[in-house]
Amino acid sequence: SGNYPRNSIFRSYFDDSGFELPAGSIRPFLSANGMRVATGYKYQTTGEEGQNKQLYNVGQGMNAAREKARIFLDNRIKTLRSARLLMSEKLPVSLCAYDADFFGRFWYEGWVFIEELFRAASEHVDIQFMTPSEYLSRLEIENFQTITPVFSSQGFNGYGESYLDSSNDWVYRHLLRAGERMVELAERFNGESDDLRERALNQAAREMLLAQSSDWVRIITTGEYHLTREWSNYARNRVEMHLRNFTTFYEALGSDYISTRFLTELEQKNNIFPDINYRIFQRKSFHSG
C-alpha cells in the first residue's frame, strides 16, 4: 500500500515554485532580503527517477488516484473473501491504518483516493466500513488477547528523541507555563469582555497554540530531517516569538493596557484559527460533559 501515492503523474509535494521559478517572476513572494520561500504553488509532477519532471495535469492526477482506489478496494475484497473460507464463525476484517498526513498533504490526490474508495465500496453489499471499536463491540471481547503497545513514535529512531532531547528540552517548561497562564486568563475573564480584550485573549490563545506545534521541537533537533542549523534556528525563533507574544498579552491583560497596533499586527500575521474562543481553556469546559 505504500506504493499507492507513488505515480510519476501525481503532483510533487517538494517542488515549490518559490524555489523553481526565476526570482524575477516571483519577486512579490520573496522575503524582504530576497530569500526564496515556499509559496504553496506547485505545478510539477513527481516524475520518474532520473527523468525531467512535467507540468502537472490535474485531471490525469485525479483519475490516477481514482483508479488506484478501485484497485486497492478490489485487493482488499479478494483478501477478505479468501479469509472468509477459513473462518467458520467470525467475520473477516481487514484493518487499514495509515498516516493521515499522506492523504492530502504529502499526497495531493490522497483525498480523491479516499472519496473514490467509499464511492466504489458503496457498490458492494457484502462489505462494510467500521472502526476497530465498532468491530470489537460486535464480538465477545473476553475472547480477545489484551496487550500493551510498547512506547514508540514516528520520530527519529522510532522513539521519542525527536520531541525531547538535550537540544529542545528547554521548550517544555515554557509551554507548560504558558498553558497554565492561558487557563488562568480564561477563568479570570470568564464573563463578558469588551471587544478589544476579547480579541487580545483570542490572539493569546493562538500564540500559545502556535508555540506548541510539535514541528518546532522536531526541527530544532535537526537530526531527523538532516536539516541545516539555519532551519534549527528558525524553529527556535518561532517558539520564542510565539511565547514572547503570548507573554506580552498576558502582562497587558493583567495591567489592563492593550496596544491596539500590536494586537492588529499579530491578528493579521498569525491568523490561524479565525473562530477561536479563548473560553475553551476554562477548566469547567472540560467538566461540563
Side-chain angles (χ1 to χ4, degrees):
S1 60
N3 291 325
Y4 279 86
R6 295 183 175 87
N7 190 308
S8 61
I9 66 173
F10 284 156
R11 197 194 75 167
S12 172
Y13 168 77
F14 297 99
D15 297 296
D16 189 282
S17 297
F19 302 98
E20 301 294 327
L21 296 178
S25 64
I26 56 171
R27 194 169 304 279
F29 295 95
L30 303 180
S31 59
N33 61 2
M35 179 180 177
R36 289 180 175 269
V37 295
T39 64
Y41 293 100
K42 303 173 183 181
Y43 300 112
Q44 296 191 63
T45 62
T46 57
E48 297 289 351
E49 186 175 354
Q51 297 181 5
N52 292 331
K53 299 179 180 182
Q54 304 296 320
L55 187 66
Y56 176 63
N57 184 298
V58 178
Q60 290 181 0
M62 300 304 178
N63 288 335
R66 294 188 182 97
E67 180 182 1
K68 284 181 175 289
R70 290 187 171 271
I71 293 173
F72 176 84
L73 180 63
D74 289 342
N75 289 337
R76 297 281 69 74
I77 291 176
K78 291 177 182 177
T79 300
L80 289 170
R81 287 175 175 168
S82 298
R84 188 71 181 91
L85 300 175
L86 305 175
M87 303 173 66
S88 58
E89 298 180 0
K90 297 180 181 179
L91 292 174
V93 60
S94 176
L95 178 62
C96 301
Y98 302 103
D99 189 342
D101 236 9
F102 287 96
F103 294 100
R105 183 184 179 192
F106 293 111
W107 185 17
Y108 177 69
E109 299 82 4
W111 66 273
V112 177
F113 176 93
I114 293 292
E115 179 184 9
E116 185 64 21
L117 177 63
F118 282 95
R119 289 184 180 277
S122 67
E123 302 171 3
H124 299 268
V125 297
D126 56 343
I127 63 171
Q128 179 183 353
F129 286 102
M130 63 180 64
T131 62
S133 58
E134 184 180 357
Y135 177 78
L136 292 175
S137 68
R138 300 188 179 194
L139 304 173
E140 297 295 332
I141 297 181
E142 56 270 16
N143 295 331
F144 287 87
Q145 180 184 8
T146 302
I147 62 174
T148 301
V150 298
F151 179 85
S152 65
S153 78
Q154 65 171 25
F156 191 52
N157 287 334
Y159 204 61
E161 58 192 275
S162 296
Y163 303 94
L164 181 61
D165 67 4
S166 60
S167 68
N168 59 28
D169 56 4
W170 61 271
V171 174
Y172 290 97
R173 63 180 181 273
H174 300 293
L175 295 181
L176 291 172
R177 182 58 173 157
E180 293 171 352
R181 285 181 164 182
M182 190 65 236
V183 173
E184 176 191 337
L185 289 175
E187 296 188 338
R188 187 195 311 173
F189 300 100
N190 61 357
E192 294 295 328
S193 299
D194 59 55
D195 180 64
L196 184 63
R197 182 182 294 159
E198 181 140 348
R199 286 170 53 195
L201 287 162
N202 287 335
Q203 191 60 35
R206 293 188 186 97
E207 299 296 333
M208 182 200 67
L209 292 174
L210 284 168
Q212 291 177 349
S213 172
S214 63
D215 280 343
W216 301 140
V217 291
R218 293 175 67 184
I219 294 174
I220 287 174
T221 64
T222 71
E224 180 175 7
Y225 297 120
H226 305 290
L227 299 173
T228 63
R229 180 55 54 184
E230 181 181 7
W231 278 104
S232 179
N233 290 337
Y234 170 78
R236 182 187 182 98
N237 290 337
R238 285 294 299 268
V239 173
E240 293 177 346
M241 177 189 70
H242 294 304
L243 287 171
R244 185 166 55 249
N245 292 341
F246 172 82
T247 303
T248 300
F249 283 118
Y250 176 78
E251 295 176 347
L253 286 160
S255 61
D256 199 24
Y257 180 78
I258 302 170
S259 170
T260 305
R261 179 178 178 181
F262 177 72
L263 172 59
T264 303
E265 288 178 352
L266 285 184
E267 285 177 328
Q268 295 174 350
K269 180 180 179 182
N270 302 329
N271 56 3
I272 194 172
F273 312 124
D275 299 320
I276 196 170
N277 187 327
Y278 74 92
R279 295 175 182 84
I280 63 175
F281 292 99
Q282 296 175 7
R283 286 190 180 89
K284 65 180 182 181
S285 298
F286 301 103
H287 301 156
S288 59

